[in-house]
């Protein structure tokens, strides 16, 4: 898929079919995130791919318990994104750019999903963070940033027009 087509087609999906997601496609998504840019090439991220039905159910239940993101009842896979310490120069981690770096990696995940016919929804609200870390088998002290729902959109789920600020509002040309 051409880049600009993928940019247009990527949208937050909140209506998933029960079709399972192929592991090769999930790996390709993480490979795409792996090559995202980051400050001083610090790569301050790690990922947890969840596809086993028992784990998927636990992740979904934790999200649903928050009363948010009801669409998680039907999500077949998740990729969680952890912000890792960013070593820019020297031995002391510097978090200044890590949040932005993680954002770029997540967009790579999303575009790689779109290019493979998959849909995603980035979730900042995913229920109890403590419980989610236990489910994902990551340390409580880790910095779990986002959980990405991944799956095939239900047939007929429409491509919505993008609601965005006008170019003139957000950009000046000098
Ligand atoms: C950091 C972040 C957190 C988000 N959290 C949620 C969420 O918890 N639930 C949800 O339905 N969408 C969530 N979204 C999706 C945004 O609502 C969505 O990207 C935005 O409205 C633009 O719509 P689009 O993704 O369909 O283009 C999140 C997006 C980002 C970048």
């Amino acid at each position: 898929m051409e880049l600009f087509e993928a940019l247009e087609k990527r949208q937050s999906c909140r209506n998933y079919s029960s079709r399972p997601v192929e592991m090769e496609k999930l790996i390709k998504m993480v490979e795409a995130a792996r090559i995202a840019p980051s400050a001083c090439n610090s790569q301050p991220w790690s990922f947890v791919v969840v596809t086993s039905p028992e784990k998927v159910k636990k992740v979904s239940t934790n999200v649903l318990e928050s009363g948010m993101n009801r669409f998680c009842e039907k999500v077949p896979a998740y990729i969680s994104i952890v912000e890792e310490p960013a070593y820019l120069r020297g031995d002391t981690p510097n978090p200044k750019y890590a949040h932005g770096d993680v954002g770029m990696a997540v967009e790579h995940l999303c575009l790689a999903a779109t290019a493979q016919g998959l849909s995603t929804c980035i979730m900042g609200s995913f229920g109890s963070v403590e419980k989610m870390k236990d489910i994902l088998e990551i340390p409580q002290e880790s910095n779990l940033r986002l959980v990405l729902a991944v799956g095939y959109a239900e047939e007929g789920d429409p491509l919505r027009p993008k609601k965005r600020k006008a170019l003139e509002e957000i950009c000046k040309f000098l």
Side-chain angles (χ1 to χ4, degrees):
M1 191 184 288
E2 198 252 330
L3 175 63
F4 285 92
E5 189 188 346
L7 290 172
E8 282 296 329
K9 283 197 170 158
R10 189 224 51 86
Q11 64 179 5
S12 298
C13 174
R14 301 182 180 92
N15 187 14
Y16 291 88
S17 81
S18 54
R19 182 176 163 190
V21 181
E22 299 85 345
M23 183 55 79
E24 311 82 70
K25 292 192 175 183
L26 293 165
I27 292 169
K28 267 198 150 172
M29 288 172 63
V30 181
E31 283 289 356
R34 197 172 70 84
I35 60 171
S38 59
C40 292
N41 202 20
S42 52
Q43 305 165 63
W45 47 57
S46 64
F47 307 91
V48 183
V49 178
V50 183
T51 56
S52 85
E54 314 84 73
K55 281 283 183 191
V56 166
K57 192 153 195 268
K58 283 183 179 169
V59 172
S60 299
T61 303
N62 194 55
V63 177
L64 294 171
E65 274 171 7
S66 71
M68 302 275 292
N69 294 325
R70 305 299 313 170
F71 61 88
C72 284
E73 274 169 2
K74 282 170 66 195
V75 170
Y78 294 96
I79 301 180
S80 299
I81 301 96
V82 177
E83 182 184 316
E84 299 289 349
Y87 294 93
L88 306 184
R89 274 180 203 92
D91 298 338
T92 314
N94 180 345
K96 185 172 178 191
Y97 303 108
H99 213 148
D101 294 341
V102 164
M104 286 188 279
V106 172
E107 180 65 340
H108 276 215
L109 286 174
C110 293
L111 290 174
T114 303
Q116 298 181 94
L118 290 165
S119 293
T120 53
C121 188
I122 303 165
M123 291 187 291
S125 304
F126 43 80
S128 158
V129 179
E130 289 74 25
K131 270 198 218 165
M132 191 63 95
K133 287 177 182 174
D134 282 342
I135 295 165
L136 298 173
E137 301 176 29
I138 57 175
Q140 281 300 327
E141 55 280 13
S142 62
N143 205 348
L144 177 60
R145 282 289 185 201
L146 296 164
V147 175
L148 186 69
V150 188
Y152 287 95
E154 193 65 89
E155 204 145 322
D157 198 44
L159 185 62
R160 302 181 298 271
K162 303 252 182 272
K163 283 193 205 155
R164 297 295 191 267
K165 293 177 184 173
L167 194 68
E168 312 79 69
E169 210 184 322
I170 59 164
C171 181
K172 68 178 171 186
F173 298 88
L174 302 176

